Amino acid sequence: MPKQVDHDVRRTAIAQALWRVAKVRGLERVSLREVATEAGMSLGQLQHYFSSRQDLMRFAMEFIRRKNVERVTERLAGVDDADHVARLRAIVMEMLPTDEESRVGSLLNIDFMLEAARNDELREHARQRMAALRGLLEGQIALAVQAGDVSPECDPRSEAAVLIALSDGLRSHFHLGTHTAAEVVSLMDRHLERLFAGSAAQKAR
Amino acid sequence: MPKQVDHDVRRTAIAQALWRVAKVRGLERVSLREVATEAGMSLGQLQHYFSSRQDLMRFAMEFIRRKNVERVTERLAGVDDADHVARLRAIVMEMLPTDEESRVGSLLNIDFMLEAARNDELREHARQRMAALRGLLEGQIALAVQAGDVSPECDPRSEAAVLIALSDGLRSHFHLGTHTAAEVVSLMDRHLERLFAGSAAQKAR
């Protein structure tokens, strides 16, 4: 195997090991040594790939983000390009803990956000990720406004921020057991319906 | 001092010490020993008041909740009983990190929710707190619907859940530095405006 590929494979294997350990115990309680054991290597070997806990954390979050992007891309492949409402809903639903994989991802995301709230470097990383997501949603809402599916009075940038905050909050409540996955989806759908209400398309119906 | 009062005073002093330590380092990294040191007592003395970390956590969250109730009560004292929209807004704004005290409270709340997501007993406690808050908001929204300030099509119970999730999400984003306190307030106001739009009162204007 070429050296760079091998390096990536090992780093990914370590991120997967972190995923398995953190799933049970929470990200903030995981030590590098435990991750090394789970990945079947020594601490020294692991440190060859990640010099610090923070370095590993950042990589793990990037790993989760890429998983999310793959899932959103798969979902969008089945949706008509011109159906902006359905496309927006597909992206938003991927932000909710609807299956085992997205549940683990979202729980780790909460851990990460918490760790980031007290760590400047991780916070910057978290901010960049959120800015990218906000941009994606904003663009999709703007297209829906242009198409008359969302009221022109709505501000895509603010609505994108509200969607992210709402999905983050619903996710936490799911993990607390306050809402089931079905309830979380239904509450989000209620919010989306109101976003789409009052549009030209709705009025024409 | 009577024994029970002294007991309460000492427990409150310990909760305040926990608050000061957790503010800087996060709840999950705080040990009982550190809290004892901050409260100016030995670990053995502290354990006389709290037998376990979990016991202390539960008390600390109850302490934060009571602070919140006091703040909401103060805010509501200045609002007309019949002005349901203003009353709802007063409660919701108290859920946002608008000043130093509510910022620390909300950061600890996030820590607590995270710890609760992996701990059955704390989760039950968190669920009860959220159910109480949801009930309060639901009642207030129902009054606003009756008064014609909110559309009768809206379901108070669902809207209450959405308000809590949105404020939790906005709080996290504030702590991540994605939004300023002013932006968080403005995004919430935008959401409330839409909740109040389409009501009989709005239509009559």
Side-chain angles (χ1 to χ4, degrees), chain B residues 33-46:
Chain B
R33 186 174 298 276
E34 282 169 295
V35 177
T37 305
E38 176 72 24
M41 56 177 73
S42 70
L43 180 59
Q45 284 172 311
L46 184 144

Side-chain angles (χ1 to χ4, degrees), chain A residues 18-32:
Chain A
L18 171 72
W19 171 283
R20 290 191 299 272
V21 179
K23 184 172 158 177
V24 183
R25 306 189 45 228
L27 211 51
E28 81 285 358
R29 289 201 190 80
V30 172
S31 69
L32 282 185

